mmCIF file of all heavy atoms in Angstrom:
data_model
loop_
_atom_site.group_PDB
_atom_site.id
_atom_site.type_symbol
_atom_site.label_atom_id
_atom_site.label_comp_id
_atom_site.label_asym_id
_atom_site.label_seq_id
_atom_site.Cartn_x
_atom_site.Cartn_y
_atom_site.Cartn_z
ATOM 1 N N MET A 1 22.642 1.802 29.447
ATOM 2 C CA MET A 1 23.820 1.497 28.689
ATOM 3 C C MET A 1 23.482 0.388 27.677
ATOM 4 O O MET A 1 23.012 -0.668 28.066
ATOM 5 C CB MET A 1 24.933 1.039 29.638
ATOM 6 C CG MET A 1 26.101 0.524 28.870
ATOM 7 S SD MET A 1 27.352 -0.389 29.755
ATOM 8 C CE MET A 1 27.949 0.555 31.024
ATOM 9 N N PRO A 2 23.696 0.637 26.370
ATOM 10 C CA PRO A 2 23.393 -0.383 25.364
ATOM 11 C C PRO A 2 24.381 -1.542 25.453
ATOM 12 O O PRO A 2 25.524 -1.390 25.862
ATOM 13 C CB PRO A 2 23.510 0.349 24.039
ATOM 14 C CG PRO A 2 24.264 1.590 24.319
ATOM 15 C CD PRO A 2 24.135 1.880 25.775
ATOM 16 N N PHE A 3 23.883 -2.694 25.065
ATOM 17 C CA PHE A 3 24.710 -3.899 25.087
ATOM 18 C C PHE A 3 25.658 -3.881 23.898
ATOM 19 O O PHE A 3 25.251 -3.705 22.762
ATOM 20 C CB PHE A 3 23.816 -5.137 25.021
ATOM 21 C CG PHE A 3 24.567 -6.427 25.017
ATOM 22 C CD1 PHE A 3 25.194 -6.877 26.161
ATOM 23 C CD2 PHE A 3 24.664 -7.187 23.873
ATOM 24 C CE1 PHE A 3 25.883 -8.070 26.170
ATOM 25 C CE2 PHE A 3 25.354 -8.375 23.863
ATOM 26 C CZ PHE A 3 25.965 -8.823 25.022
ATOM 27 N N ALA A 4 26.926 -4.053 24.133
ATOM 28 C CA ALA A 4 27.929 -4.109 23.062
ATOM 29 C C ALA A 4 28.574 -5.479 23.095
ATOM 30 O O ALA A 4 29.093 -5.911 24.108
ATOM 31 C CB ALA A 4 28.977 -3.022 23.253
ATOM 32 N N ARG A 5 28.514 -6.167 21.991
ATOM 33 C CA ARG A 5 29.081 -7.510 21.908
ATOM 34 C C ARG A 5 30.528 -7.407 21.465
ATOM 35 O O ARG A 5 30.838 -6.795 20.447
ATOM 36 C CB ARG A 5 28.285 -8.346 20.929
ATOM 37 C CG ARG A 5 28.764 -9.772 20.877
ATOM 38 C CD ARG A 5 27.882 -10.566 19.919
ATOM 39 N NE ARG A 5 28.363 -11.916 19.844
ATOM 40 C CZ ARG A 5 27.842 -12.934 20.529
ATOM 41 N NH1 ARG A 5 26.814 -12.724 21.304
ATOM 42 N NH2 ARG A 5 28.335 -14.140 20.401
ATOM 43 N N ALA A 6 31.406 -8.039 22.165
ATOM 44 C CA ALA A 6 32.823 -8.044 21.816
ATOM 45 C C ALA A 6 33.209 -9.449 21.392
ATOM 46 O O ALA A 6 32.619 -10.431 21.811
ATOM 47 C CB ALA A 6 33.661 -7.606 23.012
ATOM 48 N N GLY A 7 34.164 -9.551 20.521
ATOM 49 C CA GLY A 7 34.643 -10.872 20.102
ATOM 50 C C GLY A 7 34.016 -11.321 18.805
ATOM 51 O O GLY A 7 33.684 -10.523 17.940
ATOM 52 N N ARG A 8 33.847 -12.617 18.676
ATOM 53 C CA ARG A 8 33.325 -13.190 17.435
ATOM 54 C C ARG A 8 31.865 -12.808 17.218
ATOM 55 O O ARG A 8 31.126 -12.622 18.172
ATOM 56 C CB ARG A 8 33.461 -14.707 17.481
ATOM 57 C CG ARG A 8 34.895 -15.138 17.545
ATOM 58 C CD ARG A 8 35.116 -16.610 17.487
ATOM 59 N NE ARG A 8 33.961 -17.402 17.878
ATOM 60 C CZ ARG A 8 33.930 -18.718 17.835
ATOM 61 N NH1 ARG A 8 34.977 -19.377 17.449
ATOM 62 N NH2 ARG A 8 32.862 -19.383 18.190
ATOM 63 N N PRO A 9 31.440 -12.748 15.935
ATOM 64 C CA PRO A 9 30.045 -12.396 15.664
ATOM 65 C C PRO A 9 29.110 -13.544 16.062
ATOM 66 O O PRO A 9 29.507 -14.699 16.110
ATOM 67 C CB PRO A 9 30.016 -12.170 14.156
ATOM 68 C CG PRO A 9 31.145 -12.980 13.638
ATOM 69 C CD PRO A 9 32.198 -12.944 14.716
ATOM 70 N N GLY A 10 27.884 -13.192 16.335
ATOM 71 C CA GLY A 10 26.883 -14.195 16.675
ATOM 72 C C GLY A 10 26.422 -14.943 15.438
ATOM 73 O O GLY A 10 26.849 -14.682 14.308
ATOM 74 N N LEU A 11 25.542 -15.883 15.649
ATOM 75 C CA LEU A 11 25.020 -16.709 14.564
ATOM 76 C C LEU A 11 24.337 -15.877 13.493
ATOM 77 O O LEU A 11 24.552 -16.086 12.302
ATOM 78 C CB LEU A 11 24.049 -17.752 15.119
ATOM 79 C CG LEU A 11 23.404 -18.682 14.101
ATOM 80 C CD1 LEU A 11 24.480 -19.490 13.375
ATOM 81 C CD2 LEU A 11 22.410 -19.591 14.759
ATOM 82 N N LEU A 12 23.522 -14.920 13.903
ATOM 83 C CA LEU A 12 22.809 -14.084 12.942
ATOM 84 C C LEU A 12 23.777 -13.306 12.049
ATOM 85 O O LEU A 12 23.611 -13.238 10.837
ATOM 86 C CB LEU A 12 21.860 -13.130 13.657
ATOM 87 C CG LEU A 12 20.974 -12.273 12.773
ATOM 88 C CD1 LEU A 12 20.137 -13.152 11.864
ATOM 89 C CD2 LEU A 12 20.080 -11.397 13.600
ATOM 90 N N GLY A 13 24.828 -12.740 12.646
ATOM 91 C CA GLY A 13 25.813 -12.003 11.861
ATOM 92 C C GLY A 13 26.552 -12.906 10.888
ATOM 93 O O GLY A 13 26.816 -12.546 9.736
ATOM 94 N N THR A 14 26.871 -14.121 11.330
ATOM 95 C CA THR A 14 27.575 -15.074 10.469
ATOM 96 C C THR A 14 26.702 -15.475 9.285
ATOM 97 O O THR A 14 27.156 -15.518 8.142
ATOM 98 C CB THR A 14 27.966 -16.327 11.278
ATOM 99 O OG1 THR A 14 28.764 -15.918 12.387
ATOM 100 C CG2 THR A 14 28.744 -17.307 10.431
ATOM 101 N N VAL A 15 25.440 -15.763 9.536
ATOM 102 C CA VAL A 15 24.516 -16.154 8.476
ATOM 103 C C VAL A 15 24.303 -15.008 7.497
ATOM 104 O O VAL A 15 24.298 -15.208 6.282
ATOM 105 C CB VAL A 15 23.173 -16.628 9.078
ATOM 106 C CG1 VAL A 15 22.120 -16.814 8.008
ATOM 107 C CG2 VAL A 15 23.370 -17.911 9.855
ATOM 108 N N ALA A 16 24.155 -13.801 8.008
ATOM 109 C CA ALA A 16 23.949 -12.645 7.134
ATOM 110 C C ALA A 16 25.156 -12.407 6.236
ATOM 111 O O ALA A 16 25.011 -12.129 5.047
ATOM 112 C CB ALA A 16 23.664 -11.399 7.970
ATOM 113 N N ARG A 17 26.356 -12.534 6.793
ATOM 114 C CA ARG A 17 27.558 -12.351 5.982
ATOM 115 C C ARG A 17 27.687 -13.443 4.920
ATOM 116 O O ARG A 17 28.036 -13.179 3.780
ATOM 117 C CB ARG A 17 28.796 -12.328 6.872
ATOM 118 C CG ARG A 17 29.295 -10.934 7.142
ATOM 119 C CD ARG A 17 30.668 -10.917 7.777
ATOM 120 N NE ARG A 17 30.714 -11.603 9.071
ATOM 121 C CZ ARG A 17 30.168 -11.155 10.195
ATOM 122 N NH1 ARG A 17 29.513 -10.024 10.190
ATOM 123 N NH2 ARG A 17 30.264 -11.825 11.309
ATOM 124 N N ALA A 18 27.384 -14.678 5.292
ATOM 125 C CA ALA A 18 27.463 -15.784 4.326
ATOM 126 C C ALA A 18 26.467 -15.574 3.191
ATOM 127 O O ALA A 18 26.787 -15.798 2.021
ATOM 128 C CB ALA A 18 27.204 -17.114 5.028
ATOM 129 N N ALA A 19 25.254 -15.127 3.520
ATOM 130 C CA ALA A 19 24.245 -14.882 2.493
ATOM 131 C C ALA A 19 24.677 -13.756 1.565
ATOM 132 O O ALA A 19 24.480 -13.829 0.350
ATOM 133 C CB ALA A 19 22.906 -14.540 3.151
ATOM 134 N N ALA A 20 25.277 -12.724 2.122
ATOM 135 C CA ALA A 20 25.739 -11.606 1.299
ATOM 136 C C ALA A 20 26.854 -12.053 0.364
ATOM 137 O O ALA A 20 26.914 -11.644 -0.797
ATOM 138 C CB ALA A 20 26.221 -10.463 2.186
ATOM 139 N N ARG A 21 27.734 -12.903 0.844
ATOM 140 C CA ARG A 21 28.828 -13.395 -0.011
ATOM 141 C C ARG A 21 28.312 -14.272 -1.136
ATOM 142 O O ARG A 21 28.849 -14.268 -2.232
ATOM 143 C CB ARG A 21 29.831 -14.192 0.831
ATOM 144 C CG ARG A 21 30.898 -13.330 1.423
ATOM 145 C CD ARG A 21 31.983 -14.172 2.041
ATOM 146 N NE ARG A 21 32.020 -13.806 3.449
ATOM 147 C CZ ARG A 21 31.889 -14.623 4.469
ATOM 148 N NH1 ARG A 21 31.735 -15.897 4.279
ATOM 149 N NH2 ARG A 21 31.910 -14.183 5.693
ATOM 150 N N GLN A 22 27.272 -15.044 -0.859
ATOM 151 C CA GLN A 22 26.732 -15.970 -1.868
ATOM 152 C C GLN A 22 25.769 -15.284 -2.820
ATOM 153 O O GLN A 22 25.343 -15.880 -3.800
ATOM 154 C CB GLN A 22 26.012 -17.123 -1.180
ATOM 155 C CG GLN A 22 26.944 -18.027 -0.427
ATOM 156 C CD GLN A 22 26.184 -19.092 0.343
ATOM 157 O OE1 GLN A 22 24.962 -19.142 0.311
ATOM 158 N NE2 GLN A 22 26.904 -19.935 1.040
ATOM 159 N N GLY A 23 25.400 -14.072 -2.520
ATOM 160 C CA GLY A 23 24.487 -13.348 -3.411
ATOM 161 C C GLY A 23 23.058 -13.835 -3.284
ATOM 162 O O GLY A 23 22.329 -13.915 -4.255
ATOM 163 N N THR A 24 22.632 -14.177 -2.087
ATOM 164 C CA THR A 24 21.266 -14.635 -1.858
ATOM 165 C C THR A 24 20.300 -13.510 -2.205
ATOM 166 O O THR A 24 20.460 -12.394 -1.745
ATOM 167 C CB THR A 24 21.084 -15.047 -0.380
ATOM 168 O OG1 THR A 24 22.056 -16.038 -0.081
ATOM 169 C CG2 THR A 24 19.697 -15.584 -0.130
ATOM 170 N N PRO A 25 19.269 -13.791 -3.021
ATOM 171 C CA PRO A 25 18.321 -12.739 -3.383
ATOM 172 C C PRO A 25 17.478 -12.315 -2.194
ATOM 173 O O PRO A 25 17.277 -13.078 -1.258
ATOM 174 C CB PRO A 25 17.447 -13.396 -4.449
ATOM 175 C CG PRO A 25 17.570 -14.852 -4.195
ATOM 176 C CD PRO A 25 18.951 -15.065 -3.627
ATOM 177 N N ALA A 26 16.997 -11.112 -2.251
ATOM 178 C CA ALA A 26 16.126 -10.591 -1.194
ATOM 179 C C ALA A 26 14.796 -11.336 -1.213
ATOM 180 O O ALA A 26 14.427 -11.943 -2.210
ATOM 181 C CB ALA A 26 15.897 -9.107 -1.420
ATOM 182 N N ARG A 27 14.060 -11.266 -0.123
ATOM 183 C CA ARG A 27 12.774 -11.964 -0.041
ATOM 184 C C ARG A 27 11.798 -11.490 -1.102
ATOM 185 O O ARG A 27 11.024 -12.262 -1.624
ATOM 186 C CB ARG A 27 12.141 -11.718 1.317
ATOM 187 C CG ARG A 27 12.676 -12.554 2.387
ATOM 188 C CD ARG A 27 11.808 -12.388 3.609
ATOM 189 N NE ARG A 27 12.580 -12.716 4.784
ATOM 190 C CZ ARG A 27 12.170 -12.553 6.004
ATOM 191 N NH1 ARG A 27 10.991 -12.019 6.219
ATOM 192 N NH2 ARG A 27 12.928 -12.886 7.012
ATOM 193 N N ASP A 28 11.808 -10.209 -1.399
ATOM 194 C CA ASP A 28 10.847 -9.655 -2.340
ATOM 195 C C ASP A 28 11.333 -9.676 -3.782
ATOM 196 O O ASP A 28 10.714 -9.081 -4.654
ATOM 197 C CB ASP A 28 10.512 -8.212 -1.947
ATOM 198 C CG ASP A 28 9.859 -8.152 -0.571
ATOM 199 O OD1 ASP A 28 9.209 -9.154 -0.192
ATOM 200 O OD2 ASP A 28 10.012 -7.148 0.123
ATOM 201 N N ALA A 29 12.425 -10.371 -4.036
ATOM 202 C CA ALA A 29 12.957 -10.445 -5.400
ATOM 203 C C ALA A 29 12.009 -11.275 -6.262
ATOM 204 O O ALA A 29 11.410 -12.238 -5.791
ATOM 205 C CB ALA A 29 14.342 -11.069 -5.400
ATOM 206 N N PRO A 30 11.868 -10.941 -7.544
ATOM 207 C CA PRO A 30 10.996 -11.730 -8.417
ATOM 208 C C PRO A 30 11.601 -13.120 -8.633
ATOM 209 O O PRO A 30 12.816 -13.299 -8.558
ATOM 210 C CB PRO A 30 10.985 -10.925 -9.723
ATOM 211 C CG PRO A 30 12.221 -10.105 -9.676
ATOM 212 C CD PRO A 30 12.499 -9.840 -8.229
ATOM 213 N N PRO A 31 10.765 -14.114 -8.899
ATOM 214 C CA PRO A 31 11.283 -15.465 -9.125
ATOM 215 C C PRO A 31 12.120 -15.496 -10.393
ATOM 216 O O PRO A 31 11.929 -14.677 -11.303
ATOM 217 C CB PRO A 31 10.020 -16.313 -9.271
ATOM 218 C CG PRO A 31 8.949 -15.358 -9.636
ATOM 219 C CD PRO A 31 9.326 -14.048 -9.026
#
């Protein structure tokens, strides 16, 4: 049975959403 997280998102999900909102460039983006 796979683990399903219920409730608030974890730290990784929060950081990923914040980066997406701020428009953080991808790692391989040109300088």
